Amino acid sequence: MTKITIDIDKLLEEVGEFGKYQKLYIFFLGLTLLFTASSTMSFVFTTGDMNYRCLIEGCDSTSETTVEYWPVWLNRTVPFDNDDHRLAKCSQYVRNKPNDTKKTDERIFRCDDSDFNKSLSVQCDEFVFESGGETTIVSAFNIFCKNNKWKLTIVGTLNNIGQFFSLPISGFLSDKYGRKNIIIIGSVLAATCGILRGLSINYTMFLILEFFDAFFSGGVYSATFIMGIGLVGARHRVFASTVLSAYYPIGEALVGILFWYVQDWRKFLIFVNLPGLCFALAYTIIPESVRWMIAAGKISEAIEELKYIAKLNGEKLSEESLRKLETFKSTNEKEIEIEEMTKRRTTSCSSQQAFKRAITSKRIILRVINCSFCWMINTLIYYGLSMSSGSIVGNRYWNFILCSLVEIPALFLVIKIMNNCGRRESQCATLLVCSSLCISIAFLPKHAVILNILLYLIGKFSITISFVILYMYTAEMFPTEIRHSLLGICSMFGRIGSMIAPQTPLLVTYFGELSPLLLFSGSALLSGLLALLFPETLNKKMPDTVLEAEQIGNSSS
């Protein structure tokens, strides 16, 4: 028996592909993406190293409330690295034994050159902090000196481990129970963990809450993205995805601005997470995805939502489409089949059956593996460059904000690039450009400050374009019925890259300053070449079934 098929893009053409409805809810969904930036990037500031030095007994007056951070005698008591502006944080010169014990107090108080042996230094365990500076978990949990630096870098890695475990689970739950539930419940739980993290009483509590914050927010971005591009017709997918993606760097910049203003990690975490609790109020405002409702067999809900879309957009759902949906509901509700290519007949399958078919398809499996590797490299470079922005000469807050905002022009340029050059060639080219820039920065002299900053920002610019293309590309290569599940798998493996990114400071310690940039360059080059194996999806309808996904790239499709 020939089953009734539903062309969702045609339904959207009737009710409005990009009208008032789509613009309104893309705005609401964008607010969610603003919040996810805080869950993903807040550790850059909460784990930032602080300015501190050794407490010099006898020189520093411990009886005073505030000890001067940079007294006139400092260069006599502590060693400096390379120049007079980089003091050694954790060591001090060995004190000379006085010849006259009666003058001990007087000699120590003066802190003369003769009081210290500048050829010998020792580690200290008491510290003085720069007054008026930022406070992070360094002082709260006594994480000092190079031997403990891993305790700071592990926080970012643990954040991404949380997302790693979250993505496949949230992808499955999203495909089974809907995008809306993942977006709202995940955001509220993540906000709760973020606020509690700001109240942490020890390092262990902080780590546990960091993990669960990332775990609950892990699937919010992908669910929001999938839901957003599913609201619009095929002609507007690129623009919708670009607008949604632009919210994330704005969220990153706001994170930098807030911490610059607050300067205290506890207040920062509470303030940045409080808005997330408001998502609980949005449960009756944000709609469920029409595409998901039809794929899940919730035809009655889908009809009501389509009518609402038509009303808000000033359009009307045709009687023919209504009859088709009603017939589909009554005769085929338990055997859902969505088909955009109306001339082909196919059997319907559940999400589980679709997933089983996908993993037995050599073409789909190879595509998932390649896509996962591309995700891993994109996240490694994207987050690696973001986290390293503070090392650029100048104000670290401005650097972070600028490095975030440079993504916005990249996001809008991507529309022209993708529409004119296609997905495959664009993905390849942007990764190769990023590779060449990273290798160039690695061998540029440090005194060429402006050129270093310019190339750094262009590198972030190019990897941003690549990342946006990849998100769009992944959504277009896989079928509706298991789209979030497969996107979740690719993004999950992508988190391996973002787990490695926070460890690049340790990479510098063991392999030298050039090692991160050389890693970025080589991996981007390989991934760019492998991107040529992807099928082209430009001007293709989004596949709703596994069979349709398999046929993308065929000469006849």
Side-chain angles (χ1 to χ4, degrees):
M1 179 178 69
T2 302
K3 291 183 172 60
I4 297 172
T5 60
I6 299 174
D7 189 330
I8 300 174
D9 281 333
K10 276 212 175 291
L11 290 174
L12 287 174
E13 286 179 15
E14 286 187 24
V15 300
E17 292 182 278
F18 197 70
K20 184 178 178 180
Y21 175 92
Q22 283 84 0
K23 294 171 185 176
L24 178 64
Y25 287 112
I26 283 177
F27 169 76
F28 283 133
L29 292 173
L31 296 179
T32 306
L33 299 183
L34 283 178
F35 174 70
T36 59
S38 66
S39 292
T40 307
M41 299 303 294
S42 63
F43 73 86
V44 174
F45 295 101
T46 58
T47 63
D49 205 2
M50 297 174 62
N51 291 327
Y52 58 88
R53 63 168 176 83
C54 291
L55 175 71
I56 309 300
E57 185 180 354
C59 296
D60 286 310
S61 177
T62 55
S63 61
E64 297 180 7
T65 305
T66 303
V67 179
E68 187 179 356
Y69 176 70
W70 202 286
V72 293
W73 45 258
L74 187 61
N75 61 346
R76 307 169 195 164
T77 60
V78 300
F80 281 71
D81 299 331
N82 301 325
D83 55 62
D84 289 342
H85 298 288
R86 292 182 57 195
L87 60 84
K89 292 183 174 182
C90 301
S91 60
Q92 66 177 78
Y93 292 131
V94 174
R95 189 186 303 277
N96 290 326
K97 293 182 178 180
N99 295 325
D100 187 351
T101 56
K102 295 181 180 180
K103 296 184 178 180
T104 299
D105 292 341
E106 180 184 353
R107 288 171 53 77
I108 293 176
F109 179 77
R110 292 204 324 261
C111 296
D112 289 335
D113 287 331
S114 59
D115 290 323
F116 296 91
N117 183 352
K118 292 188 176 181
S119 62
L120 297 174
S121 62
V122 293
Q123 296 293 306
C124 56
D125 54 13
E126 291 186 86
F127 302 93
V128 173
F129 294 92
E130 184 178 21
S131 61
E134 64 186 43
T135 61
T136 70
I137 66 170
V138 169
S139 59
F141 305 132
N142 298 319
I143 305 173
F144 302 111
C145 305
K146 291 182 179 179
N147 291 340
N148 288 322
K149 196 170 185 178
W150 65 271
K151 290 184 178 180
L152 299 178
T153 60
I154 201 66
V155 175
T157 297
L158 189 66
N159 179 288
N160 286 282
I161 290 174
Q163 296 182 59
F164 180 87
F165 285 106
S166 169
L167 288 167
I169 296 172
S170 61
F172 169 77
L173 294 175
S174 173
D175 286 334
K176 187 174 179 63
Y177 298 108
R179 322 307 191 200
K180 174 181 174 178
N181 289 319
I182 293 298
I183 293 170
I184 294 176
I185 296 174
S187 295
V188 172
L189 290 176
T192 303
C193 289
I195 293 171
L196 292 175
R197 196 161 83 254
L199 304 174
S200 297
I201 58 175
N202 55 50
Y203 180 68
T204 302
M205 178 180 175
F206 183 88
L207 287 183
I208 293 172
L209 289 168
E210 182 79 41
F211 174 85
F212 281 105
D213 186 348
F215 181 82
F216 290 129
S217 68
V220 172
Y221 189 103
S222 53
T224 303
F225 189 85
I226 287 175
M227 186 171 175
I229 64 173
L231 289 173
V232 302
R235 292 180 300 170
H236 302 278
R237 286 203 303 260
V238 173
F239 181 76
S241 67
T242 303
V243 171
L244 284 170
S245 299
Y247 277 90
Y248 188 82
I250 294 173
E252 285 183 307
L254 290 175
V255 167
I257 292 170
L258 180 61
F259 194 83
W260 191 1
Y261 176 76
V262 174
Q263 297 273 301
D264 180 276
W265 71 277
R266 292 188 185 276
K267 293 178 182 177
F268 165 73
L269 285 174
I270 293 171
F271 291 158
V272 81
N273 284 287
L274 275 175
L277 299 179
C278 297
F279 285 105
L281 305 176
Y283 202 86
T284 57
I285 299 174
I286 297 178
E288 185 53 86
S289 166
V290 171
R291 289 181 183 273
W292 177 83
M293 285 191 286
I294 294 177
K298 299 180 180 294
I299 309 302
S300 297
E301 293 92 328
I303 292 172
E304 291 304 312
E305 191 61 31
L306 285 167
K307 288 179 179 179
Y308 179 67
I309 296 173
K311 180 182 178 181
L312 208 58
N313 288 344
E315 303 289 346
K316 186 178 181 181
L317 189 62
S318 69
E319 292 298 326
E320 180 184 351
S321 295
L322 280 172
R323 282 196 302 270
K324 196 172 187 180
L325 285 165
E326 290 290 352
T327 304
F328 182 83
K329 172 189 172 184
S330 59
T331 61
N332 211 23
E333 196 163 17
K334 293 186 179 180
E335 290 184 301
I336 301 167
E337 175 190 63
I338 305 171
E339 182 168 312
E340 291 177 335
M341 302 183 70
T342 58
K343 294 182 180 179
R344 185 171 66 243
R345 296 165 66 183
T346 176
T347 58
S348 64
C349 58
S350 66
S351 293
Q352 284 186 334
Q353 290 170 327
F355 193 82
K356 288 178 181 178
R357 181 172 180 180
I359 63 176
T360 57
S361 168
K362 182 179 179 181
R363 178 172 292 186
I364 298 295
I365 285 297
L366 290 176
R367 193 179 297 168
V368 169
I369 293 171
N370 193 10
C371 191
S372 297
F373 179 75
C374 197
W375 267 86
M376 182 175 69
I377 300 307
N378 270 264
T379 55
L380 169 65
I381 301 172
Y382 177 86
Y383 289 108
L385 292 178
S386 294
M387 295 170 197
S388 302
S389 59
S391 63
I392 309 174
V393 177
N395 184 292
R396 68 185 294 253
Y397 301 109
W398 270 120
N399 292 340
F400 181 84
I401 293 166
L402 187 61
C403 200
S404 299
L405 294 180
V406 77
E407 298 177 32
I408 296 177
L411 293 170
F412 285 94
L413 178 62
V414 79
I415 300 175
K416 190 172 182 66
I417 292 175
M418 290 176 72
N419 286 336
N420 291 348
C421 305
R423 283 47 160 161
R424 179 173 54 200
E425 285 73 17
S426 300
Q427 185 78 72
C428 173
T430 50
L431 285 167
L432 296 184
V433 168
C434 184
S435 173
S436 62
L437 288 167
C438 288
I439 198 72
S440 299
I441 297 168
F443 293 102
L444 269 179
K446 289 186 177 180
H447 63 263
V449 177
I450 295 177
L451 186 57
N452 270 281
I453 293 174
L454 182 62
L455 292 182
Y456 194 95
L457 293 177
I458 296 174
K460 182 65 182 298
F461 184 87
S462 62
I463 197 62
T464 299
I465 293 177
S466 175
F467 215 160
V468 175
I469 293 170
L470 184 59
Y471 247 109
M472 186 72 177
Y473 214 169
T474 307
E476 291 182 332
M477 285 191 291
F478 299 122
T480 297
E481 50 199 358
I482 52 171
R483 181 169 293 130
H484 197 167
S485 296
L486 295 183
L487 190 151
I489 289 172
C490 295
S491 185
M492 177 186 72
F493 282 101
R495 289 299 156 191
I496 295 175
S498 53
M499 288 177 204
I500 298 171
Q503 301 301 322
T504 49
L506 296 182
L507 197 65
V508 171
T509 303
Y510 292 105
F511 299 102
E513 292 185 359
L514 300 183
S515 54
L517 289 170
L518 294 177
L519 174 64
F520 296 161
S521 179
S523 56
L525 174 63
L526 178 58
S527 183
L529 296 175
L530 289 174
L532 294 174
L533 299 178
F534 288 132
E536 182 54 69
T537 59
L538 178 63
N539 295 326
K540 305 288 186 183
K541 287 186 176 182
M542 291 178 73
D544 284 316
T545 65
V546 175
L547 181 59
E548 289 177 357
E550 287 177 316
Q551 293 184 348
I552 294 178
N554 289 350
S555 56
S556 58
S557 63

